[in-house]
Amino acid sequence: MLPLKDEDRVRLLSAVAKRSTSFEAIRVVTMTLSLAIVAAVPLMGIVRIDLWQGHHLRLQEGVDGIGALKGMVIALSILYGFTFLTNMVVGRFFCGFGCPVGYVSRLGEKVDRARKTRWLRWLEHLRGAGFVAAFVAAVMLWWVDPRVLLDGSLRARILTLGIWAALSAGGFFHAFWWRFAFCVKACPIGLYYRYVTSKAPVGIVFNESPSKCIECGACETICPVDLDPKRLGESLVVRDSDGYEDERYGDAECLRCGDCVAACLLVFAKRQGEVAPLRIGRLTPHKHETPTANQSKISA
Ligand code: SF4
Ligand code: SF4
């Protein structure tokens, strides 16, 4: 049994999915691209530090460990720079649309959405497991030459497959247990982006002109990281059910996943002539107010 908020989120996600929003289609494309880039770098010989057999690579040439390490630092810096520049413009867009770890959480939710049909549930389990296994394999290609599975020692083959299976099992566990709590509480990249890209000019805009918000709560319910999309420009102190207080930085924590916009569009779909107050767009300066004592609020 899922907690109440998650139950409602899953129900809303199912309703949104039936309208086939463009966000999900975009996410499939960007996620495939992310995975393809991670796998392509070592497969094309751009860089690899081969921990088993020392078949280190840099720009398709065999190099020693130090040379490969330098290549690794450069490759990771380029990948990081690319996500950083994207996030400088659209906030934590990479978290919402490019991060495979975040996407794994979504695959777990797809299993929840399919819970009434057993075969569909199994299919979603398989899809989630397949994605996790592919992602782990892509990451391992940076550290292991796959030829070890053909001509390596028995020990090397067993260990390589064992590490792949253990990491995949960990990813699968993440998909069904930890989910987006990881993005909020533990992801070091997310934590970093929360501060350095918090003034991105594009994000979730709440504008009640020309149509008023009907305060249905759908956007808050569907938000995977428990934000209030109508108040992302504010800094809030939130108290959880155990009484612990936590500071939330709205706009800096928003993953730009688009779920709230999709939910609001769904709510307004039947309201002829009205415009959904939530959208993705350019943020006005007041959306970037820094936290002050007056702005902080306690919500249960
Ligand atoms: S989903 Fe739209 S209408 Fe409903 S509370 Fe959020 S902003 Fe208002
Ligand atoms: S506020 Fe909207 S876009 Fe931001 S994380 Fe929540 S649902 Fe996603």
Side-chain angles (χ1 to χ4, degrees):
M1 185 78 176
L2 292 167
L4 206 54
K5 148 93 187 182
D6 292 346
E7 282 269 1
D8 290 340
R9 171 170 157 77
V10 165
R11 225 173 281 139
L12 263 171
L13 281 172
S14 299
V16 163
K18 281 187 192 135
R19 293 190 73 229
S20 61
T21 58
S22 50
F23 294 122
E24 203 43 42
I26 294 170
R27 193 159 11 246
V28 170
V29 172
T30 51
M31 214 52 73
T32 308
L33 209 60
S34 273
L35 211 56
I37 291 172
V38 173
V41 171
L43 281 179
M44 290 171 71
I46 295 171
V47 73
R48 171 181 295 130
I49 296 179
D50 182 16
L51 296 176
W52 274 124
Q53 297 170 308
H55 295 158
H56 309 306
L57 282 174
R58 192 178 70 194
L59 297 179
Q60 298 181 335
E61 283 182 9
V63 288
D64 62 10
I66 299 292
L69 190 62
K70 282 183 193 163
M72 183 73 87
V73 170
I74 294 169
L76 289 177
S77 302
I78 291 171
L79 287 180
Y80 165 76
F82 179 70
T83 62
F84 180 78
L85 288 177
T86 309
N87 284 12
M88 283 304 278
V89 180
V90 279
R92 290 173 62 178
F93 174 82
F94 175 75
C95 300
F97 283 86
C99 174
V101 179
Y103 191 59
V104 168
S105 304
R106 283 187 183 271
L107 293 174
E109 284 172 340
K110 284 197 176 183
V111 174
D112 294 338
R113 275 162 47 190
R115 76 195 129 157
K116 287 189 186 145
T117 317
R118 184 183 282 197
W119 69 266
L120 200 57
R121 197 174 162 82
W122 277 108
L123 192 70
E124 293 298 354
H125 268 297
L126 273 179
R127 196 146 66 155
F131 181 84
V132 171
F135 175 53
V136 170
V139 172
M140 283 182 70
L141 284 172
W142 287 63
W143 305 98
V144 180
D145 184 337
R147 284 176 297 178
V148 74
L149 295 175
L150 298 175
D151 53 23
S153 66
L154 184 63
R155 182 169 162 267
R157 276 187 265 177
I158 289 174
L159 263 174
T160 303
L161 288 175
I163 291 170
W164 172 72
L167 290 175
S168 298
F172 204 62
F173 176 77
H174 164 77
F176 296 98
W177 185 256
W178 206 354
R179 299 203 181 172
F180 286 100
F182 174 81
C183 306
V184 179
K185 298 195 166 114
C187 176
I189 300 171
L191 191 68
Y192 173 68
Y193 279 145
R194 176 168 142 170
Y195 293 100
V196 297
T197 67
S198 61
K199 295 199 186 307
V202 177
I204 305 300
V205 177
F206 175 59
N207 188 342
E208 293 193 275
S209 170
S211 308
K212 286 271 177 214
C213 164
I214 59 167
E215 293 181 20
C216 62
C219 53
E220 282 172 74
T221 305
I222 205 170
C223 179
V225 289
D226 288 332
L227 296 171
D228 180 349
K230 304 184 296 306
R231 298 166 68 191
L232 293 179
E234 299 173 37
S235 171
L236 302 177
V237 178
V238 179
R239 189 178 290 155
D240 67 17
S241 51
D242 298 324
Y244 291 109
E245 288 182 2
D246 194 13
E247 276 195 278
R248 305 302 305 271
Y249 297 101
D251 206 38
E253 287 190 47
C254 169
L255 309 178
R256 307 302 203 259
C257 69
D259 285 350
C260 54
V261 176
C264 195
L265 284 171
L266 177 73
V267 169
F268 273 69
K270 290 188 184 141
R271 300 176 75 90
Q272 296 277 317
E274 292 189 58
V275 180
L278 275 183
R279 64 186 170 82
I280 292 182
R282 195 174 168 80
L283 297 168
T284 48
H286 78 271
K287 288 269 181 189
H288 290 312
E289 287 165 354
T290 45
T292 65
N294 302 349
Q295 282 177 309
S296 296
K297 305 212 169 59
I298 306 279
S299 64

